[in-house]
Amino acid sequence: MQMPVPSPDVLGKKDRIVALLRGVLPEDAVIEHEIELKAYECDALSAYRCPPLCAVLPDSTEAVAAVMRICHAEGVPVVPRGAGTSLAGGALPTADSVILGVARLTEVLETDYDNRFIRVQSGRTNLAVTGAVEADGFFYAPDPSSQLACAIAGNIAMNSGGAHCLKYGVTTNNLMGVTLVMADGEVVEIGGAHLDAGGLDLLGLVCGSEGQLGVVTEATLRILAKPEGARPVLIGFDANEVAGACVSDIIKTGIVPVAIEFMDRPCIEATEAFTGAGYPVCEALLIIEVEGSEAEIKDQLSRIIEIAGRHNPVEVRESASAEESALIWLGRKSAFGAMGQKGDYICLDGTIPVSALPHVLTRIAELTESYGLGVGNVFHAGDGNMHPLIIYDANRPGDLAKAEALGADILTLCVEVGGCLTGEHGVGIEKRDLMTKQYTPDDLEVQMQVKDVFDPSWILNPAKVFPLEASKIRRGM
Amino acid sequence: MDKLTSEADLAAMIRGANGALKIRGGGTRDVGAPVVGDLVSTRGLSGVTLYEPGALTLVVKAGTALDEVETLLAGEGQRLAFEPMDHRVLLGTEGVSTIGGMVAANASGPRRIQGGAARDFTLGARFVDGAGRVIKNGGRVMKNVTGYDLVKLMAGSWGTLGVLTEVSLKVQARPETQATLVAEGLDPERAVASLSAALGSPFDVTGAAHEIGGRTMVRIEGLRGAVEYRTGALATGALAGFDRLEADESAALWAEVRDVACLSDRAGAVWRVSVKPTDGPRLLATLGARVQGGLMDWGGGLLWLLMREGGDAGAKVLRTTLAEFGGHATLMRASAETRARVAVFQPEPPGVAALSRALKQKFDPRGILNPGLMGS
């Protein structure tokens, strides 16, 4: 993965830039020491690292605006950073960039149960948003796996999903408004506590724009009343395609499970060895969770089990207690960790039409074998969002490149069957150079023109999302 | 220009255009400042490209009739979750609503409060922009964060940024049944308090509306047992004293709410206002007798207000009040003369207005697509 050559001009005036930033921020909010900058040299795509020019941690919208005014005037690239959990390199710095972290923006600004929203500063973690309202029976629905650590700012930047978006949608479906600091430091309010836009839907455009259109400092989020209860059932099958067909049948009936998770044999075996959750060792298993009152849960589960019965399951395990539910989820939630025991891994995020599942799983197995690597599949089956985990050995020369090449082949396959490169992790640097697989030059040009509108000098996270070659002139290269 | 039958023809036509174009689907949603220009109809771009009931996915060309799509979906026990309004009822227009027009208007009915708007269920789009470029964005899968989300931008842009040629939609299974809890004679404040309580319950309310001076209603949909249980729980809790309407009656009632049928044959200007729900009653109190009738949907946050059409049709008082509350007001029904005189769409604050103008300039550099429809 290439990154642009840093600007010698910016590198040469580092002291001046740091002095200007110190002029508008408190002493401890400007980080320039080599050791302290280690924390900002990568995100969760940790194979790629680069220390930034410096990092700043403003604690208000006004302070963020002041930082942006300086960087804009000086022509310094700014890489916004939530909690640094991006799996796509969304917060990876370049040597000539300022990391703008929102970690000190963590306050709840307003909670309104009558109107069912919460307004928070964007550095607050996803789970802490739910934490602020759950005692009153509410929750914030999008639940990325990193929700304990990840910030709302990053969720908005990447339009994050989660296991439960089958029923509740992703970030963009739960975001009502933002305070956005523009590249030149101007502050605009988009949306609010009301629904939908009165003019063009700029909120929909900002959500998922990977920190390239502005820095979100505050967000108004939809909160929902917690369901009375939830319970999973675990169903094992003797073939991937049978499990896939079962998913399709369930969705068609009108039952809306909150989650349908899928694991294949390599993943089941790894998790069993790791957690001993007591999973049946079979070709594929589904974990399906439903919500509601006790009677509603029973009703939905019995219908699901009846449908599954037509697909000759090798095992059906309906949870009978909170402990059993926890055990069913334990394996799924430990799956990434368990696969990590087998080696280093790359986690892909391609999404495919649910109907293409069996074909794609077969092709992934074939491709993986041809590369001489290992892969495990664990993913959100209800919405076709796959997460193949490619196992490689970081200490073996050439292995990472091989794994990345396999990843690119798998993502290309996802696009070929009518899907997309990324369902919830974002493009970042990871899928930047594959964008031409999904989009024509005109498709990309019009997206870059949108960035031109918000950030005419391309200082916000400029080396991301678009192939470097395509964005070269705009980045002044 | 009714003969366009392919996206390529449309693109060529737009590239070759030398003046303003009036973009139209079925012409049933005659909203916005009147547009003067050569008519471009998308009706010839018609047909279902792909329908996978098991994946809840429908890909359809923009000129396809909405009725046709709804019939197709009903055949598989499915529907459009966002309950698109049929604007013919309120606007007195005729013709055939199209899928493209529905998305361009972000037409979303009562279920928007629970499930989301048209913009939330539009997974992908193809369109021709003002320069005649064919652009695609999004796709046909439910989760897609590949590049910027131009689909949301296109939804609700009323043909001012591009002409939709095809959209992919996420569809929904029809629930087994529905029921509505209904009460008479609540004032707006008490009505919205009831609606807020119902929407803040775990009972998954899919409709929450109040007719000004009339009924207050809450809809529950789902499996038979669930509807039984939830309506029971609400009727003995937050909605004590409400009566229950069964499936058929309930469905008929919500079709009326969706289409704002109560204002269909009453003369005057009709505004569509979006505020936070508890500001609905405050807004009504401020407007007082200027409001001659109407409806509150979305738990009180969406107001359909009948006002006298003379002068500015109430624009100034509405928008002065909204400047304080937050939210927006669109003049959905008024004569062409009034719509030429009064800003139909909510004027935006300078920063946002500048962004919207600059986007329009990028998508339609010659300013030929529905010029002026959404304001300058």
Side-chain angles (χ1 to χ4, degrees), chain B:
Chain B
M1 287 289 180
D2 238 357
K3 300 284 188 288
L4 291 168
T5 52
S6 78
E7 185 181 74
D9 288 352
L10 174 68
M13 195 279 290
I14 290 180
R15 276 196 299 274
N18 46 23
L21 301 174
K22 183 179 164 124
I23 314 303
R24 200 162 84 171
T28 66
R29 307 183 202 271
D30 180 17
V31 172
V35 171
V36 180
D38 290 342
L39 187 68
V40 176
S41 168
T42 61
R43 277 294 277 139
L45 304 170
S46 173
V48 173
T49 310
L50 175 143
Y51 177 32
E52 283 185 0
L56 303 178
T57 318
L58 175 75
V59 183
V60 59
K61 295 214 171 76
T64 312
L66 176 55
D67 289 348
E68 207 179 294
V69 167
E70 287 183 325
T71 306
L72 174 73
L73 295 178
E76 290 287 338
Q78 298 189 330
R79 66 181 181 186
L80 296 173
F82 49 92
E83 221 175 351
M85 172 180 185
D86 181 348
H87 281 78
R88 289 174 295 195
V89 178
L90 179 68
L91 303 182
T93 46
E94 285 173 3
V96 176
S97 287
T98 63
I99 288 291
M102 172 192 82
V103 172
N106 188 26
S108 315
R111 205 173 293 107
R112 194 271 172 264
I113 189 70
Q114 180 248 8
R119 52 96 82 181
D120 297 295
F121 287 87
T122 310
L123 304 172
R126 295 179 64 92
F127 61 93
V128 179
D129 75 359
R133 294 180 295 188
V134 175
I135 306 294
K136 76 164 184 304
N137 191 262
R140 65 176 171 101
V141 289
M142 289 180 209
K143 277 159 87 180
N144 187 347
V145 297
T146 320
Y148 297 165
D149 191 347
L150 305 183
V151 179
K152 302 270 182 312
L153 188 64
M154 293 303 293
S157 66
W158 296 91
T160 62
L161 299 180
V163 184
L164 290 167
T165 57
E166 185 176 270
V167 296
S168 336
L169 299 165
K170 177 184 173 184
V171 302
Q172 186 185 56
R174 274 172 190 277
E176 199 169 270
T177 190
Q178 63 170 285
T180 293
L181 293 170
V182 60
E184 292 271 359
L186 301 183
D187 64 35
E189 202 163 332
R190 281 191 55 208
V192 170
S194 296
L195 299 180
S196 287
L199 287 163
S201 77
F203 302 123
D204 209 14
V205 166
T206 69
H210 170 72
E211 299 163 330
I212 297 168
R215 294 167 295 186
T216 305
M217 46 213 143
V218 170
R219 177 176 61 189
I220 299 287
E221 297 173 289
L223 300 176
R224 214 166 294 282
V227 170
E228 216 36 59
Y229 168 75
R230 292 175 186 184
T231 49
L234 284 168
T236 53
L239 302 181
F242 279 56
D243 296 321
R244 187 179 140 131
L245 300 181
E246 299 308 320
D248 290 349
E249 247 185 310
S250 170
L253 180 61
W254 287 98
E256 284 177 31
V257 172
R258 181 194 73 187
D259 297 339
V260 200
C262 62
L263 300 182
S264 156
D265 49 16
R266 294 186 59 189
V270 176
W271 289 89
R272 180 182 185 271
V273 184
S274 178
V275 290
K276 74 179 181 199
T278 53
D279 280 345
R282 289 176 66 206
L283 178 65
L284 288 176
T286 308
L287 296 174
R290 294 185 191 91
V291 174
Q292 299 169 341
L295 182 71
M296 305 170 88
D297 196 356
W298 298 358
L302 180 73
L303 296 98
W304 292 93
L305 304 176
L306 180 71
M307 295 173 78
R308 212 172 54 79
E309 197 174 324
D312 72 349
K316 186 156 179 258
V317 62
L318 250 175
R319 285 174 172 151
T320 312
T321 314
L322 289 182
E324 184 200 329
F325 290 3
H328 51 83
T330 309
L331 179 57
M332 289 298 282
R333 187 183 78 185
S335 68
E337 294 76 48
T338 305
R339 285 184 285 138
R341 196 173 67 236
V342 176
V344 170
F345 289 84
Q346 178 81 20
E348 293 171 321
V352 174
L355 289 171
S356 297
R357 261 197 317 274
L359 285 169
K360 165 81 176 161
Q361 215 277 326
K362 294 287 186 193
F363 280 75
D364 179 20
R366 293 176 293 164
I368 59 171
L369 302 179
N370 278 346
L373 186 145
M374 294 183 80
S376 53

